């Protein structure tokens, strides 16, 4: 009987010791928590406390998806899940990050791969840098051996670029698209020179046929832009910039072709990145990639530094940022940045030097510019990009900005609220339609971005002289000093001298002015520029209210080529200045 009792006690003690051993192993591996909590040793942003994921036993592995990142938890060294994600991506086409908080350093997402989570319940805490990188590669620049006929499809090179049929190439001109004398009124895409920025015509092409040992390429389409030449002998030296620019004058001695191996078909979706000090997502040389339903936030307790952005893409072809949110929990003191001439302080989401790429359905709660389509120094143009169905609030300058060096941009279905300006375009050939803009700032507002003498707060502004060949239609603008502003730039060459702008079928309510043309003091005399304002419903604010209407259409006295017809006016003291 005693022996039986002792055996029972021994058995019980063994069970207890086994349980203690399992607990020790569990503690060494991060401990146990409920299944919805964050993975191993992940820092909580609120108070620095630690949260952990449920211990995954051999038995548990059968219960989770084959692509669940927890299968690679042994790679999460020191609570950093970057190596675990990289290992998972090497084995799976898609990797699932279940609800929880993951500390993570930078991860490059390869072509054809998807990273996804459970929406805002999947939280990424960056370890000091960008979290997701999408990066392709590009070969050396090979010069053209012969001038390329404008708008043609055949390129002759000094040597083979190694391209095959079906490959992607990047064709970049020797011509600076901001020099009027070289580009002519028909094709100049910008006029700024004070910063010394040089931008060159460029585009992606797909190779259809290769011959002559790889030195002759025929593309599947003709080029969008002209001016691809084998040398730089026809190029003008750009005007000297203000101040000292180390690489002035930056010029290219020939058009070139580069073979591109893009990062392609990457998808990042349904997760949240918090406490960002750097961009959450960066991409370049990419094709057919999508960023969907990702929330990106700056630091919770500190305002971001000037120059901050949350997303930056460049050299993107057919890529889209869709239904993403860009949030700044601690907003900088607006008064500080209203004094700044640096309009790039907070370009929150940027797509530059890209082709048929853009934003759709995104949201920003603070910026200097929320959504930017642009160019960059020494780089190529943007073509066919877009901002659609997005919402921007509290933008110091504007909710949407299209810089010079951009061509054929579409801006439709967006909402901008409580901002200095709604939509500002400096690029050429813009289609701006079906946007809803309510600025709400006082008509007395007067700071660097929205000077009262040059239009004040404005719903839609076309600026700097090159935003011509544009159509503005079916928009709704309210509570602005000027609903539609055509405004020369600060520099004497950034003036409207040519082209046309059409403003039609728009609805304006509670705006001090409906339309204004502001000319630089050096923009004098008649110019071949046509402004058409037709079939709009234009209403100022009621007398005695904050946005009480004054003159509906204000033209510079020397404005020529204006066609003002078929419009309905209400609550304005007069319809047109100067009177015709």
């Amino acid at each position: 009987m005693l022996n039986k009792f002792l055996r029972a006690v021994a058995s019980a003690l063994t069970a207890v010791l086994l349980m203690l051993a399992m607990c020790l192993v569990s503690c060494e591996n991060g401990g146990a928590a409920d299944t919805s909590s964050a993975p191993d040793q992940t820092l909580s942003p609120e108070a620095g406390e630690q949260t952990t994921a449920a211990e995954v036993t051999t038995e548990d592995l059968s219960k989770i998806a084959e692509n669940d990142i927890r299968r690679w938890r042994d790679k999460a060294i020191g609570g950093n899940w970057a190596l675990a994600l990289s290992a998972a991506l090497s084995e799976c086409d898609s990797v699932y990050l279940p609800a929880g908080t993951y500390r993570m350093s930078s991860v490059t997402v390869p072509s054809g791969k998807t990273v996804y989570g459970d929406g805002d319940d999947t939280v990424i805490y960056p370890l000091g840098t960008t979290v997701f990188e999408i990066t392709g590669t590009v070969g050396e620049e090979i010069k053209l051996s012969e001038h390329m006929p404008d708008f043609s499809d055949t390129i002759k090179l000094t040597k083979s670029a190694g391209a095959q049929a079906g490959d992607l190439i990047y064709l970049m001109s020797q011509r600076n698209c901001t020099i009027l004398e070289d580009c002519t009124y028909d094709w100049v895409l910008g006029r700024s020179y004070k910063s010394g920025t040089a931008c060159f015509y460029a585009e992606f092409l797909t190779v259809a046929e290769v011959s002559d040992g790889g030195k002759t390429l025929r593309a599947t389409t003709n080029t969008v832009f002209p001016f691809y030449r084998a040398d730089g002998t026809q190029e003008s030296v750009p005007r000297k910039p203000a101040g000292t620019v180390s690489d002035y004058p930056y010029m290219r001695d020939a058009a070139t072709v580069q073979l591109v191996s893009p990062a392609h078909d990457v998808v990042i979706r349904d997760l949240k990145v918090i406490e960002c000090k750097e961009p959450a997502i960066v991409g370049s040389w990419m094709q057919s990639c999508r960023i969907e339903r990702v929330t990106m936030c700056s630091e919770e307790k500190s305002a971001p530094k000037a120059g901050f952005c949350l997303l930056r893409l460049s050299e993107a072809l057919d890529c889209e940022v869709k239904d993403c949110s860009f949030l700044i929990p601690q907003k900088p003191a607006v008064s500080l940045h209203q004094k700044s001439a640096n309009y790039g302080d907070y370009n929150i989401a940027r797509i530059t030097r890209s082709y048929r790429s853009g934003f759709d359905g995104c949201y920003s709660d603070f910026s200097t510019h929320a959504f930017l389509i642009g160019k960059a120094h020494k780089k190529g143009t943007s073509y066919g990009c877009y901002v659609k169905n997005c919402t921007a609030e509290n933008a110091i300058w504007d909710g949407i900005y299209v810089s010079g060096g951009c061509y054929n941009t579409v801006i439709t279905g967006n909402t901008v609220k409580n901002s200095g300006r709604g939509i500002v375009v400096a690029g050429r050939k813009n289609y701006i339609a079906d946007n809803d803009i309510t600025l709400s700032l006082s008509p007395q507002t007067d700071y660097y971005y929205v000077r009262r003498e040059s239009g004040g707060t404005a719903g839609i502004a076309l600026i700097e002289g090159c935003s011509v060949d544009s159509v503005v239609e079916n928009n709704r603008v309210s509570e602005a000093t000027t609903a539609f502003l055509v405004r020369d730039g600060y520099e004497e060459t950034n003036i409207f001298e040519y082209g046309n702008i059409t403003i039609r079928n728009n609805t304006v309510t509670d705006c001090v002015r409906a339309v204004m043309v502001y000319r630089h003091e050096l923009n004098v005399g008649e110019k071949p520029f046509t402004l058409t304002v037709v079939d709009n419903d234009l209403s100022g604010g009621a007398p005695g209210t904050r946005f009480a209407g004054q003159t509906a259409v204000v033209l510079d006295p020397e404005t020529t080529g204006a066609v003002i017809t078929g419009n309905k006016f209400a609550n304005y003291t007069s319809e047109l200045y100067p009177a015709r």
Side-chain angles (χ1 to χ4, degrees):
M1 192 76 172
L2 179 61
N3 288 339
K4 193 171 185 180
F5 171 74
L6 291 174
R7 283 198 300 270
V9 170
S11 179
L13 285 171
T14 300
V16 169
L17 289 172
L18 181 59
M19 289 176 67
L20 286 171
M22 290 176 68
C23 287
L24 287 171
V25 171
S26 175
C27 289
E28 289 174 2
N29 287 328
D34 75 74
T35 56
S36 64
S37 62
D40 188 12
Q41 294 295 301
T42 304
L43 186 64
S44 168
E46 287 80 17
E49 70 220 24
Q50 304 291 318
T51 57
T52 56
E55 181 67 19
V56 180
T57 66
T58 303
E59 181 181 0
D60 292 326
L61 288 175
S62 64
K63 299 178 181 179
I64 65 174
E66 292 294 326
N67 65 341
D68 190 314
I69 194 172
R70 290 175 295 179
R71 289 181 174 271
W72 290 268
R73 64 176 291 116
D74 60 314
K75 305 291 185 182
I77 307 301
N80 181 353
W81 283 78
L83 289 177
L85 179 55
S86 294
L89 287 168
S90 70
E91 299 180 36
C92 302
D93 288 337
S94 67
V95 178
Y96 169 54
L97 279 63
T101 301
Y102 301 77
R103 289 197 305 171
M104 196 174 293
S105 55
S106 185
V107 175
T108 298
V109 184
S111 292
K113 304 290 185 173
T114 296
V115 177
Y116 70 101
D118 287 323
D120 282 356
D121 291 330
T122 296
V123 179
I124 310 296
Y125 189 98
L127 292 176
T129 185
T130 293
V131 177
F132 298 110
E133 295 191 25
I134 308 169
T135 307
T137 60
V138 62
E140 69 170 305
E141 293 188 272
I142 308 298
K143 295 180 180 179
L144 271 62
S145 62
E146 297 180 15
H147 295 341
M148 188 176 181
D150 291 344
F151 314 113
S152 62
D153 63 359
T154 300
I155 309 167
K156 295 191 175 183
L157 304 173
T158 55
K159 64 177 183 178
S160 172
Q164 303 295 323
D167 282 346
L168 189 67
I169 58 173
Y170 190 68
L171 174 64
M172 188 169 178
S173 178
Q174 80 298 331
R175 183 147 299 176
N176 185 335
C177 71
T178 69
I179 299 178
L180 173 62
E181 295 78 7
D182 294 346
C183 302
T184 75
Y185 285 131
D186 292 331
W187 280 101
V188 65
L189 301 184
R191 298 287 300 281
S192 181
Y193 71 90
K194 283 189 177 180
S195 65
T197 299
C199 178
F200 300 88
Y201 297 105
E203 54 198 282
F204 288 101
L205 295 168
T206 300
V207 177
E209 183 179 299
V210 180
S211 59
D212 190 24
K215 293 193 293 184
T216 299
L217 307 177
R218 184 175 63 80
T220 57
T221 59
N222 294 340
T223 62
V224 169
F225 298 115
F227 310 129
Y228 295 105
R229 307 289 185 254
D231 59 56
T233 58
Q234 300 176 40
E235 309 309 309
S236 300
V237 176
R239 294 185 62 180
K240 190 172 182 178
T244 301
V245 177
S246 61
D247 57 358
Y248 171 81
Y250 184 80
M251 301 177 69
R252 290 169 51 85
D253 57 7
T256 60
V257 163
Q258 291 173 280
L259 178 63
V260 181
S261 296
H264 62 85
D265 299 292
V266 171
V267 178
I268 300 173
R269 63 176 177 86
D270 298 302
L271 47 83
K272 183 176 185 178
V273 186
I274 63 172
E275 297 292 318
C276 294
K277 297 179 182 179
E278 301 290 337
I281 302 174
V282 171
S284 62
W285 301 110
M286 50 196 295
Q287 181 179 17
S288 302
C289 297
R290 302 195 316 278
I291 301 165
E292 298 180 350
R293 297 179 297 280
V294 176
T295 299
M296 294 165 246
C297 310
S298 63
E299 293 178 278
E300 185 72 28
K301 296 182 179 180
S302 301
K305 296 179 180 180
F308 178 75
C309 75
L310 283 165
L311 176 139
R312 185 177 68 242
L313 307 181
S314 64
E315 289 92 14
L317 171 63
D318 295 323
C319 295
E320 185 166 75
V321 181
K322 184 172 177 60
D323 297 330
C324 293
S325 293
F326 304 92
L327 307 179
I328 310 296
Q330 282 292 333
K331 296 169 179 57
V334 172
S335 59
L336 296 177
H337 298 281
Q338 289 174 348
K339 298 176 183 178
S340 172
N342 179 14
Y343 63 83
D345 275 355
Y346 305 102
N347 291 169
I348 295 301
R350 312 179 192 178
I351 295 177
T352 60
R353 47 195 190 272
S354 293
Y355 204 85
R356 298 194 304 258
S357 298
F359 302 97
D360 188 353
C362 297
Y363 173 76
S364 167
D365 70 349
F366 173 83
S367 63
T368 45
H369 321 305
F371 305 106
L372 179 144
I373 305 295
K375 66 179 187 299
H377 183 40
K378 304 181 184 178
K379 304 295 183 179
T381 46
S382 286
Y383 167 79
C385 292
Y386 58 88
V387 182
K388 301 178 181 179
N389 309 311
C390 293
T391 297
E393 299 183 88
N394 308 310
I396 295 174
W397 192 20
D398 56 66
I400 298 166
Y401 179 57
V402 179
S403 80
C406 297
Y407 185 73
N408 197 29
T409 306
V410 173
I411 305 171
T412 58
N414 302 287
T415 300
V416 182
K417 302 176 183 178
N418 194 39
S419 299
R421 288 179 176 166
I423 298 167
V424 176
V425 295
R428 187 164 186 157
K429 195 179 181 184
N430 307 280
Y431 181 67
I432 305 170
D434 300 304
N435 301 286
D436 197 336
I437 300 165
T438 304
L439 297 184
S440 302
L441 275 64
S442 167
Q444 303 305 311
T445 300
D446 183 28
Y447 54 87
Y448 182 84
Y449 308 96
V450 289
R451 292 294 183 209
R452 289 176 61 193
E453 67 174 0
S454 58
T457 64
I460 296 173
L462 301 101
I463 67 170
E464 296 189 353
C466 288
S467 50
V468 293
D469 304 336
S470 296
V471 173
V472 181
E473 65 179 5
N474 301 324
N475 301 282
R476 295 162 298 283
V477 180
S478 63
E479 298 187 3
T481 307
T482 304
F484 303 105
L485 175 63
V486 179
R487 179 189 174 284
D488 285 351
Y490 290 111
E491 302 173 24
E492 60 265 32
T493 59
N494 287 359
I495 58 178
F496 284 92
E497 301 180 85
Y498 56 88
N500 59 81
I501 293 173
T502 299
I503 300 172
R504 66 191 180 204
N505 299 317
N506 300 282
T507 300
V508 172
T509 56
D510 294 313
C511 290
V512 178
R513 288 183 293 268
V515 179
M516 179 177 178
V517 174
Y518 174 81
R519 295 180 77 176
H520 191 283
E521 60 184 3
L522 296 180
N523 186 0
V524 297
E526 294 189 6
K527 302 289 172 62
F529 166 69
T530 300
L531 172 67
T532 301
V533 181
V534 59
D535 296 335
N536 300 283
D537 192 339
L538 309 174
S539 178
T545 63
R546 196 162 59 133
F547 295 94
Q550 299 178 11
T551 301
V553 180
V554 179
L555 306 179
D556 183 278
E558 291 193 329
T559 300
T560 58
V563 179
I564 317 291
T565 184
N567 302 287
K568 296 179 181 178
F569 297 95
N571 288 337
Y572 288 108
T573 56
S574 59
E575 292 183 1
L576 182 65
Y577 174 85
R580 297 289 177 89

